[in-house]
Amino acid sequence: YKYRFGAQISPTINWMSTNDKRITSNGVSAGFKFGFIAEYYFSKSYAVTSGLGFSLNQGGSLKYANAGNYWPNIAALPDSLRLGATPLAAGTSISYRLKYIEIPIGLKMRTRDFGFWRFFAELPIFTFGFLNTAKGDLTTKGAERTSENVSKAINGFNISWGVGLGADYEVSEKTALSAGLYFNQG
């Protein structure tokens, strides 16, 4: 078959990092992806893949070593979160929960059949993500702000690249189950 269509359901593990040494990663978050995938096979073992996906609870947590204004353009913070003239104190931790609508495009390479099994590699995968919702939780000097709308502090468009390895198990002539391990960076 030249075309294959399917549904995707995937748990994710997310974290955030930065090149700024004053900001450190402060933990991981569990997320979830679901969507639809399509594959076009231009030869027996090579396909172009695409689809439409929805990523829920993506993001992570960052800790800021210095005081500063880490949420510009966000609704005014209450006085309990301020430190003098500086908006947020050193040691502030911010957790982000992001939801994206995604369009992935990739190249898939498959092995020959081994009984009911077939193995694959998908690389590269480029994903174009459009921010749907952005929520943030802020903790600083004994005060908290939860579920704040932080869409103005997050770029509305995310491009990521990735690679994946996995296996297909043929259930019937027209149905297969796939499982894989993927790494994406955006």
Side-chain angles (χ1 to χ4, degrees):
Y1 300 103
K2 278 194 162 233
Y3 297 96
R4 287 180 64 186
F5 300 96
Q8 172 193 10
I9 300 172
S10 306
T12 63
I13 298 172
N14 311 282
W15 65 91
M16 298 176 89
S17 64
T18 177
N19 294 338
D20 190 331
K21 297 201 182 306
R22 298 168 295 177
I23 305 170
T24 57
S25 182
N26 196 30
V28 299
S29 66
F32 186 73
K33 285 187 175 193
F34 67 94
F36 305 98
I37 54 174
E39 299 173 350
Y40 169 70
Y41 282 86
F42 54 89
S43 79
K44 187 174 180 177
S45 297
Y46 296 93
V48 174
T49 64
S50 190
L52 179 65
F54 304 92
S55 293
L56 309 175
N57 201 35
Q58 306 302 300
S61 183
L62 297 172
K63 188 169 188 171
Y64 297 82
N66 296 346
N69 185 7
Y70 303 120
W71 271 358
N73 306 320
I74 304 301
L77 294 171
D79 290 339
S80 63
L81 295 179
R82 296 182 183 278
L83 175 67
T86 305
L88 297 172
T92 294
S93 177
I94 301 176
S95 297
Y96 295 92
R97 293 182 316 282
L98 312 173
K99 294 180 184 175
Y100 285 96
I101 297 171
E102 297 181 331
I103 300 172
I105 298 172
L107 179 65
K108 186 173 190 175
M109 297 160 275
R110 296 189 314 176
T111 65
R112 63 179 178 78
D113 292 340
F114 295 96
F116 293 107
W117 291 93
R118 183 174 257 185
F119 301 94
F120 64 85
E122 217 173 324
L123 65 123
I125 306 166
F126 295 100
T127 303
F128 303 93
F130 302 92
L131 186 65
N132 184 29
T133 306
K135 298 289 183 183
D137 300 332
L138 181 143
T139 305
T140 185
K141 295 266 181 185
E144 289 186 16
R145 186 78 174 245
T146 59
S147 295
E148 186 74 29
N149 180 355
V150 295
S151 297
K152 292 180 182 177
I154 302 294
N155 190 341
F157 182 65
N158 182 43
I159 297 176
S160 66
W161 67 273
V163 297
L165 296 172
D168 293 331
Y169 179 77
E170 189 175 309
V171 177
S172 71
E173 184 180 335
K174 294 183 179 181
T175 307
L177 294 175
S178 295
L181 184 62
Y182 287 77
F183 173 81
N184 292 298
Q185 181 176 356

